[in-house]
């Protein structure tokens, strides 16, 4: 089958479009003809081999996690799906045997594997995955939109809905609205929960898009001070929750924007992994910090329900043909965009 794979770490030159063997469909698996795949920063980190993702070659590795497509084959024992179903794939495979998985906390599974990073992924014509990781999507949801959902909405759902328990009468600060996670957080906070949303971004054009998505106020951090503006907007109180997926560069002003007793969720650190935390303010103001990595299978089921009802509408910036994966990687690295980048075939 045609695929995009790497046989060494490096820049975009290591991305090869060519043939790899079809995936094996084991007991409990479904084989999917991939129609759309979303790019994630993880794809670039896996390609580079940085951030602890260095691996041995051979064998070659097919990149790609988030995807959507059509079921073309069922492994033994699969009862929940049928050939022809349109599905979206949760790219985090969990063991479903450990104590965390058995307790429904499979986001904490110690034997989890990420498609396209630990094992062959979705930059390919076909992928075989456990049936529990495939969710049926309605005909009104495009493959591109569905593919854009899992890695953006799962951590947002994990944080805002399940753990931070944001309420409709509360406020949330969403950092960097233009990234997939930022856009997803605005939608969930506004359209699902009904909270007041303060978003940050870096240009007037992106600010307009964030407002279109539902942000009540957008702070342009290139010429406004995040902490000061949040203080003004909230009448000096601070926000109830923060959604942070960018890390080091914005942690200090965002943490300072949180009210006493507020909850801080972090699910990514694209601007840097280390920061300084004032422990005195943490305990005296009784703030809470939550780390979130993807979400549970139940989180995914709830997200797909809302995707199918049209409440959740993932934002796609642009699509590229699969064979141009290198161009898409370059675009992600060097361009300013809003939403997700998608590979189609
Ligand atoms: Zn497990």
């Amino acid at each position: 089958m045609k695929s995009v794979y790497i046989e060494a770490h490096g820049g975009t030159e290591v991305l090869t479009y060519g043939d790899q063997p079809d995936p094996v469909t084991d007991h409990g698996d479904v084989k999917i003809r991939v129609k759309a795949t979303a790019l994630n920063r993880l794809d670039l980190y896996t390609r580079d081999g940085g951030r602890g993702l260095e691996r041995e070659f051979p064998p070659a590795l097919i990149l790609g996690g988030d995807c959507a497509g059509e079921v073309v084959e069922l492994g033994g024992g699969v009862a929940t799906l049928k050939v022809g179903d349109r599905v979206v794939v949760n790219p985090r495979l969990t063991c479903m045997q450990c104590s965390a998985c058995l307790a429904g906390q499979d986001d904490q599974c110690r034997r989890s594997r990420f498609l396209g990073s630990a094992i062959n992924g979705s930059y390919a014509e076909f992928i075989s995955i456990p049936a529990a990781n495939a969710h049926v999507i309605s005909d009104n949801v495009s493959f591109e939109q569905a593919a854009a959902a899992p890695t953006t909405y799962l951590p947002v759902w994990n944080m805002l809905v399940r753990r931070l328990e944001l309420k409709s009468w509360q406020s949330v600060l969403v950092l960097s609205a233009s990234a997939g996670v930022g856009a997803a957080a605005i939608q969930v906070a506004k359209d699902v929960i009904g909270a007041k949303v303060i978003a940050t971004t870096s240009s007037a054009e992106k600010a307009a898009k964030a407002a279109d998505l539902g942000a009540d106020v957008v702070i342009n951090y290139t010429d406004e001070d995040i902490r000061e503006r949040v203080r003004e907007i909230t009448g000096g109180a601070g926000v109830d929750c923060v959604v942070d997926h960018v890390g080091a560069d914005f942690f200090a002003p965002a943490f300072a924007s949180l009210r006493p007793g507020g909850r801080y969720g972090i699910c990514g650190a694209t601007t840097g992994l280390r920061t300084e935390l004032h422990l005195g303010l943490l305990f005296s103001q009784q703030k809470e910090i939550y780390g979130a990595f993807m979400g549970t299978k139940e989180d995914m089921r709830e997200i797909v329900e809302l995707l199918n009802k049209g409440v959740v509408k993932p934002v796609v910036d642009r699509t590229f043909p699969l064979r141009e994966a290198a161009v898409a990687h370059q675009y992600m690295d060097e361009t300013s965009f809003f939403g997700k980048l998608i590979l189609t075939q």
Side-chain angles (χ1 to χ4, degrees):
M1 65 172 180
K2 287 287 181 250
S3 62
V4 172
Y5 57 89
I6 57 172
E7 293 177 296
H9 290 302
T12 56
E13 74 283 353
V14 301
L15 294 169
T16 305
Y17 178 71
D19 289 310
Q20 286 288 320
D22 271 29
V24 174
T25 307
D26 286 329
H27 187 88
D29 283 354
V30 289
K31 184 175 178 180
I32 294 163
R33 181 188 299 280
V34 178
K35 298 284 193 177
T37 295
L39 261 70
N40 286 306
R41 292 275 164 198
L42 177 67
D43 305 358
L44 276 61
Y45 300 148
T46 303
R47 191 202 72 212
D48 284 342
R51 295 198 171 211
L53 291 166
E54 195 172 350
R55 59 184 288 126
E56 301 268 308
F57 297 97
L61 177 72
I62 301 171
L63 296 180
D66 293 347
C67 67
E70 274 174 9
V71 174
V72 292
E73 186 185 329
L74 303 179
V78 174
T80 53
L81 295 165
K82 60 184 189 303
V83 169
D85 277 346
R86 302 170 79 249
V87 293
V88 58
V89 171
N90 176 350
R92 190 152 184 248
L93 311 186
T94 50
C95 78
M96 303 313 287
Q97 296 173 48
C98 71
S99 57
C101 281
L102 293 177
Q105 297 163 339
D106 47 284
D107 53 333
Q108 295 166 32
C109 175
R110 289 189 175 188
R111 285 185 286 177
S112 71
R113 296 172 301 163
F114 216 100
L115 290 179
S117 183
I119 51 176
N120 277 337
S122 58
Y123 286 15
E125 280 181 87
F126 299 103
I127 189 168
S128 288
I129 54 146
N133 280 68
H135 299 257
V136 175
I137 55 170
S138 307
D139 290 342
N140 57 306
V141 179
S142 71
F143 290 118
E144 289 83 353
Q145 278 205 314
T151 295
T152 47
Y153 286 84
L154 275 169
V156 164
W157 201 268
N158 176 341
M159 286 191 283
L160 284 182
V161 177
R162 187 154 52 81
R163 294 165 71 201
L164 304 186
E165 297 185 317
L166 178 67
K167 306 296 184 197
S168 61
W169 56 87
Q170 294 187 321
S171 58
V172 59
L173 174 65
V174 176
L175 299 179
S176 194
S178 63
V181 170
I186 293 172
Q187 279 190 7
V188 170
K190 180 52 65 182
D191 297 338
V192 179
I193 298 170
K196 177 167 183 160
V197 181
I198 303 168
T200 74
T201 194
S202 59
S203 74
E205 190 192 353
K206 287 178 175 179
K209 287 183 179 173
D212 280 350
L213 277 179
D216 296 287
V217 186
V218 185
I219 300 171
N220 183 340
Y221 61 76
T222 54
D223 54 38
E224 294 181 293
D225 183 277
I226 292 174
R227 183 183 176 186
E228 286 304 314
R229 283 289 288 133
V230 169
R231 205 171 271 175
E232 278 169 33
I233 296 159
T234 59
V239 289
D240 298 285
C241 295
V242 173
V243 171
D244 182 356
H245 54 100
V246 289
D249 281 2
F250 297 95
F251 180 81
F255 190 72
S257 299
L258 202 57
R259 71 159 166 81
R263 292 95 71 202
Y264 195 106
I266 182 154
C267 67
T270 48
T271 68
L273 293 167
R274 293 183 188 280
T275 188
E276 203 166 83
L277 175 64
H278 192 302
L279 295 173
L281 292 177
L282 179 70
F283 75 74
S284 66
Q285 298 189 352
Q286 303 191 68
K287 293 178 177 178
E288 297 175 79
I289 302 177
Y290 295 77
F293 182 61
M294 300 296 281
T296 64
K297 287 187 162 49
E298 173 62 6
D299 292 336
M300 184 68 188
R301 195 188 64 74
E302 292 176 0
I303 292 162
V304 175
E305 289 270 339
L306 293 180
L307 181 70
N308 287 341
K309 285 182 176 145
V311 177
V312 155
K313 293 189 276 279
V315 179
V316 174
D317 180 274
R318 67 158 62 189
T319 62
F320 301 82
L322 176 65
R323 65 178 179 282
E324 289 179 14
V327 178
H329 274 225
Q330 197 94 24
Y331 189 84
M332 186 172 222
D333 234 1
E334 296 175 356
T335 320
S336 180
F337 57 95
F338 197 105
K340 297 293 283 183
L341 306 178
I342 305 286
L343 303 174
T344 57
Q345 50 191 310

